[in-house]
Amino acid sequence: KAFFRRHQGNRYAVSLLRRSCKREEIYRNLYENWQIEKLETELSKEDNQDLVLKYKRLIKEQQRDKKSLEILTDEIKQELVNGNTSKLKNTLDSSLKNIFVGNEIEKVDFSKIKIFINKPKFFKNSANNVIAFIVEDRTIYFDVYFSLKSGEWKITKFKERR
């Protein structure tokens, strides 16, 4: 009986540890998929305050990063409408292809183009959205991919949809 009682406590501790690891895995998954509201709901049920504080800090960073990308895309749109491509060019990651894209964008007169940008979708340290350029009766769609590097969003890929 003594042996059973001693090991029964270990099983209980192992069971608690497994549940804790499983909950943290759920939190990490919600965090990586930017499901902030759902993560906050799950954390409200959590007893481990260290874990709650850790994820609340991460949520604040994520909310800041999300807002900064939304502001960036609005600023790029506004500048393009005003004929300025510098914000877009400065946001492009410095790959050879993006340098070429930036040079081509400078040649476009955006004053005659309507621009629509949808809300970005996030995953880990990246995001993507769709931009539509409407020229007269033609709409051209682009998939835009962003990467968060050192707290700054960069466009890593600017690809026309076919």
Side-chain angles (χ1 to χ4, degrees), residues 56-70:
K56 284 193 176 199
R57 181 182 49 78
L58 291 171
I59 287 170
K60 281 185 181 181
E61 289 175 14
Q62 218 171 42
Q63 288 170 326
R64 183 196 67 226
D65 293 337
K66 182 178 181 182
K67 186 70 175 169
S68 72
L69 182 59
E70 290 170 355

Side-chain angles (χ1 to χ4, degrees), residues 3 14 42-43 45 53 74 87 101 118-119 136 146:
F3 176 81
V14 168
E42 290 298 317
L43 288 173
K45 304 171 197 170
L53 291 173
D74 287 343
K87 186 78 169 181
V101 167
N118 74 338
K119 294 283 184 193
E136 297 173 3
F146 297 88

